Structure formats: C-alpha cells, structure tokens
Amino acid sequence: MVQFESWASFFAMGGHGLYVWLAYGATFLVLAISYLSVRGARKRLQQELSWLSGEGGGATQEEETKL
Amino acid sequence: MSFTSSIKTLWHKLGSPRWFYQMSGPWVIGFGIAALVLLGVGAVWALGFAPPDYQQGNSFRIMYVHVPAAMVAQSIYMSMGVAGLVLFVWRMKLADVAIAACLPLGMVLTALALFSGGVWGKPTWGTWWEWDGRTVSTLVLLFLFIGIYALREAIEDAGLKARASALVAMIGTINIPIIKYSVEWWHTLHQPASFTLTEKPAMPPEMYLPLLVMVLGMYAFAGHNIISRMRNQILVRESRTHWVREAMATGG
C-alpha cells in the first residue's frame, strides 16, 4: 500500500527528507560510478587490445579513422 | 582417468584465467540484469510502500540502503580472505585477480555504510558519529580495504604483491566476527542487527521483504562489478597471449 498521500509528502518524508534522500542519492551515485568505471575500463582495454592484436588488420582500422 | 585426477583437472581449469574469462561472460549479464531489477523494485518498495517505523518514522527507510551496503561489504572482505587462503595454499593466479577486483567495490560500499549510518543516526539519535563497537570495527574494515589497496600500489614485484595482499586479507578476516558481535559485546549506540539471511526476522514481512530484495540486489551488483573487474584484470595480465588477441579481434 502506498504510504504517502501526495508527491510533496513523499519528498518530505515526514520531515526526514534531507536524510532519506541523501542516503539513497549517495547509494545510487556510488553504484552508478562503480558501474561506469568498470565499463569505461573495459572499453579502453578493448580498443587498446584490438589495435595491438591487429598487426595485419589494425592498419586498416587506423586508416579508417584517418579518413 | 581416476577420480582424484579428474578433480585435479577441474581445479586447474577453475584456476585458469582463460577458462574463467570464457565462462564468465554470461554471468556478468545475468548478475547485471538481476541487480537492475532487484535494486529498482526494492528501492521503490522501500521508499513508497514499506510502512514507516512507529518510533523512527520515515528515517527508518535509510535501513534499506544501509544494511545491504554493510552486509555486502563484509561478504566482499570474507571472499578476499578466502581468495588469500587459496592463493597461499595452491598459488592460484586467479585468486590474486579476485583480490584486486574485490578492493574497489569493497572500499566504496564500506564508506557508503558508514555514510548512510551517519545520515540515519543524525535524525534518530541526534549524532552523525559515535565511537561505538560497530562503527569503529566498520571503520577498521574501511582501513583494511584502503591498506591492501595501498600495499598493492606500493609493491612492484607481482609475486610479492600477491602474497602480501593475500596475507593481510586473511589476517583482516578476524575483524568480521568483531563487526558481527560488536552490538552484543558493547551495548552502546548502534542498534542490534535488523536482519540476517539465516534467522527469522523480528520485523513484519511488509518491512523485511523489501530489505531482502535490496540485499539480494546488492549481492547481484557486487557479482556483476567484481566479475567484470576480474575480466578486465585478466585481459591486462594476458594481453600478450594468443587467445586474448583472438577474443579481441572477434569482439568477445
């Protein structure tokens, strides 16, 4: 059952809004950053390694980016 | 092939970074989807549908992010201790990969547990921080994560780095039961455990079910994050091998 009568009372959290939203905000921020950091590292690695592995094929990729 | 030798081959396979990399692709996707669904449903449930506590009111909703962060941070540390033991006894390379991959998330989740604990404590007990058994032993957990991280940054030699961090990881597991029993040994500010996976909870189901969903979601997120980091580590360490080049060429 929904515990709040309006969006305003939902955001206010019975006067504890600042604390509740600070805790949830920090949690989801930390999770988002953790996810993005590992995904970013993976993408950089893939780029680096596929360039390294392409002694033959990498050259065409390099040419493609030049064009 | 005898039974023991087939067990041996399995063990070798499990310890092989290549085998782990090739097996774990679908695990990452599975954990990722589970985390997204569980944390999404859990947060909406916890914020809008769980009843407020009759004493603490709505600040009690902070429990739904505080408890999962603290539980999963401790589990991550225990996994590091087990990986440390595996590294010492069997010199398994993958165990060092696991320790390295556990550190970043373990660190931030411990910091998050301390932060959300403070944010919960302020409206509930009127203080952000209290030098109490549970808070101090959790602070020690944070310093253990930071310490092992710093140790790995400081040591150049790969073998020494692995052994040193495995040793500290193992010794530090002493702190985990201290965190667990701190609320029973010292009756100070921190309230007793609101939730365990093994015992029947004192809370009514409409309060503990969203907590269960959030805890499982946080475990799934940890699975996703740590296995992804292990895969990245393996690619770096094995970057010169043929199989990595092949996997990268085919986009694996």
Side-chain angles (χ1 to χ4, degrees), chain B residues 3-237:
Chain B
F3 178 70
T4 45
S5 76
S6 60
I7 288 281
K8 244 184 177 170
T9 356
L10 179 71
W11 190 242
H12 273 282
K13 254 190 182 170
L14 280 173
S16 141
R18 177 183 180 177
W19 181 87
F20 182 86
Y21 186 89
Q22 287 165 348
M23 289 302 290
S24 58
W27 305 348
V28 170
I29 297 167
F31 277 129
I33 293 169
L36 205 62
V37 172
L38 291 167
L39 291 173
V41 169
V44 171
W45 196 349
L47 281 167
F49 295 86
D53 186 71
Y54 75 102
Q55 277 181 321
Q56 299 183 7
N58 286 306
S59 72
F60 141 90
R61 298 183 195 283
I62 293 170
M63 176 192 70
Y64 296 110
V65 288
H66 173 71
V67 170
M71 275 180 87
V72 175
Q74 290 167 54
S75 299
I76 291 174
Y77 195 90
M78 278 312 287
S79 323
M80 270 179 28
V82 172
L85 186 69
V86 168
L87 189 121
F88 252 82
V89 177
W90 291 285
R91 299 180 183 273
M92 196 184 269
K93 266 199 271 175
L94 195 61
D96 186 54
V97 172
I99 291 178
C102 280
L103 284 169
L105 190 67
M107 212 184 305
V108 295
L109 286 185
T110 311
L112 193 63
L114 288 168
F115 177 78
S116 58
V119 170
W120 191 7
K122 184 62 185 164
T124 313
W125 298 288
T127 179
W128 298 97
W129 179 260
E130 180 72 43
W131 293 97
D132 130 289
R134 173 79 40 111
T135 56
V136 171
S137 51
T138 306
L139 194 61
V140 169
L141 183 71
L142 180 64
F143 290 151
L144 279 168
F145 277 122
I146 295 173
I148 299 172
Y149 191 86
L151 195 66
R152 296 184 69 88
E153 292 289 305
I155 301 174
E156 289 268 328
D157 179 71
L160 187 62
K161 181 194 292 216
R163 283 195 300 278
S165 45
L167 189 66
V168 181
M170 278 191 288
I171 295 170
T173 53
I174 298 167
N175 189 45
I176 299 298
I178 297 179
I179 297 177
K180 181 167 162 45
Y181 294 109
S182 57
V183 283
E184 291 167 31
W185 293 340
W186 301 285
H187 290 278
T188 42
L189 182 120
H190 197 288
Q191 63 193 43
S194 19
F195 182 77
T196 60
L197 284 176
T198 47
E199 280 162 49
K200 201 169 176 291
M203 284 181 281
E206 58 269 34
M207 277 183 172
Y208 81 72
L209 281 177
L211 183 57
L212 181 65
V213 171
M214 289 298 281
V215 166
L216 293 178
M218 196 63 95
Y219 272 110
F221 183 86
H224 175 274
N225 196 256
I226 291 168
I227 295 171
S228 302
R229 273 189 212 284
M230 286 178 75
R231 288 165 60 81
N232 286 354
Q233 277 273 332
I234 289 169
L235 288 182
V236 174
R237 292 181 190 204

Side-chain angles (χ1 to χ4, degrees), chain A residues 3-4 19 24 34 37-38 42, chain B residues 21 47-50 61 119 252:
Chain A
Q3 300 293 330
F4 301 94
Y19 304 107
Y24 278 75
S34 298
S37 91
V38 79
R42 162 99 190 164
Chain B
Y21 186 89
L47 281 167
F49 295 86
R61 298 183 195 283
V119 170

Side-chain angles (χ1 to χ4, degrees), chain A residues 51-64:
Chain A
W51 188 79
L52 272 179
S53 69
E55 249 88 278
T60 49
Q61 228 178 5
E62 206 178 21
E63 277 166 10
E64 265 176 26

